[in-house]
């Protein structure tokens, strides 16, 4: 059998007591110790300190179990890895008791992209998994949810779009393809001429610079008043009308 000792509420326990527990567990043949931040009170710095001290004993592999009461479950799980933890518990889209647990997809992408762990991710399967869990749990996936939110590859700011036109690495830490999403450039109140240029070219128009500069404030006024972005067809009609005038 593989035995993992579950240290309920480890983050509020005395480290000396945890050392005794791990020593006893090791002597009885246990394989792993699960360090649980059951009420989510740790910070990444404190996590690193505690796990560094426990992992330096070389008694049992440490498994992280973090909760998200203060929004730091994923960060604490990663801090645990940095301090020597062997594994961590995660849940898809961060489901779990109260505020939830460390997010599977966030931890996964962090390990692969930030720590260069050798893992091949199937974007199609990841997207399917997220969708299945969301539907089964009746939990909405927020559009700005890290890694899987629909709008995390949405670039509206003029300077951002201008940068993205020059290099896809300018304002993205990983590509939308990796997680089964798509990049978009909404036409909003923060848009610049680069955004307008992108959309007009997508419908076969090579716009004049002076016309773009003329319609930009009009675009911003429209979307600000109606609280909704323009679509490409609306921009095309606005451009053609302004060109005629």
């Amino acid at each position: 059998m593989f035995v993992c000792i579950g240290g309920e509420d480890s983050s509020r326990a005395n480290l000396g007591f945890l050392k005794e527990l791990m020593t006893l567990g090791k002597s009885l043949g246990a394989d792993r110790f699960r360090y649980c931040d059951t009420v989510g009170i740790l910070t990444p710095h404190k996590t690193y300190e505690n796990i560094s001290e426990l992992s330096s004993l070389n008694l049992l592999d440490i498994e992280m179990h973090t909760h998200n009461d203060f929004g730091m479950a994923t960060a604490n799980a990663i801090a645990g890895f940095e301090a020597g933890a062997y594994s961590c518990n995660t849940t898809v889209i961060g489901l779990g008791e109260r505020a939830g647990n460390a997010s599977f997809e966030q931890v996964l992408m962090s390990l692969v992209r930030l720590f260069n762990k050798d893992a091949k991710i199937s974007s199609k399967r990841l997207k399917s998994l997220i969708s299945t869990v969301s539907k089964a749990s009746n939990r909405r996936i927020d559009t700005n949810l890290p890694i899987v939110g629909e709008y995390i590859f949405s670039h509206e700011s003029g300077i951002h779009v201008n940068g993205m036109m020059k290099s896809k690495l300018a304002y993205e830490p990983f590509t939308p393809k990796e997680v089964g999403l798509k990049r978009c450039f909404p036409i909003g109140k923060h848009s610049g001429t680069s955004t307008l240029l992108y959309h007009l070219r997508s419908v076969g128009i090579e716009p004049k610079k002076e016309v773009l500069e003329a319609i930009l404030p009009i675009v911003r006024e429209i979307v600000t008043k109606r609280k909704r972005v323009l679509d490409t067809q609306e921009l095309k009609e606005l451009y053609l009308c302004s060109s005629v005038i």
Side-chain angles (χ1 to χ4, degrees), residues 83-133:
Y86 180 77
S87 65
C88 76
N89 303 151
T90 64
T91 58
V92 175
I93 59 176
L95 295 179
E97 292 280 354
R98 305 183 314 280
N101 293 87
S103 157
F104 165 74
E105 60 277 6
Q106 291 174 25
V107 170
L108 173 66
M109 287 299 292
S110 295
L111 291 177
V112 171
R113 295 304 304 240
L114 302 181
F115 294 89
N116 299 314
K117 295 296 181 182
D118 185 18
K120 186 176 181 181
I121 300 173
S122 168
S123 59
K124 185 176 180 180
R125 290 184 177 182
L126 179 61
K127 186 174 182 178
S128 175
L129 173 65
I130 299 299
S131 177
T132 299
V133 172

Side-chain angles (χ1 to χ4, degrees), residues 21 27 40 54 68 75 87 134 144 183:
L21 182 59
S27 70
L54 294 176
N68 206 37
S87 65
S134 173
N144 66 339
R183 182 183 295 114

Side-chain angles (χ1 to χ4, degrees), residues 5 15-33 53-54 56-62:
I5 301 171
L15 281 180
F17 171 71
L18 295 182
K19 292 175 184 178
E20 287 184 38
L21 182 59
M22 292 174 70
T23 300
L24 176 61
K26 176 74 171 180
S27 70
L28 296 174
D31 300 284
R32 189 179 295 177
F33 177 75
E53 188 166 340
L54 294 176
S56 68
L57 301 173
N58 294 315
L59 290 169
L60 299 172
D61 287 338
I62 296 176

Side-chain angles (χ1 to χ4, degrees), residues 1 19 31 65 79-80 104-105 113-114 119 130 139-141 152 179 181 190 195 199 208 230 234 238 240 242:
M1 296 179 66
K19 292 175 184 178
D31 300 284
H65 182 95
F104 165 74
E105 60 277 6
R113 295 304 304 240
L114 302 181
I130 299 299
R139 298 290 186 91
R140 183 188 67 186
I141 298 176
I152 67 169
V179 289
L181 295 175
H190 301 296
T195 302
H199 283 279
K208 298 177 181 178
L230 259 68
E234 289 174 317
L238 178 62
L240 292 176
S242 299

Side-chain angles (χ1 to χ4, degrees), residues 37 40-44 47 64-81 88-91 94-95 99-103 106-107:
D37 183 21
I41 56 151
L42 287 178
T43 63
T47 300
M64 299 302 299
H65 182 95
T66 56
H67 279 263
N68 206 37
D69 297 76
F70 287 91
M72 289 185 274
T74 296
N76 287 335
I78 295 300
F81 277 126
C88 76
N89 303 151
T90 64
T91 58
L95 295 179
N101 293 87
S103 157
Q106 291 174 25
V107 170

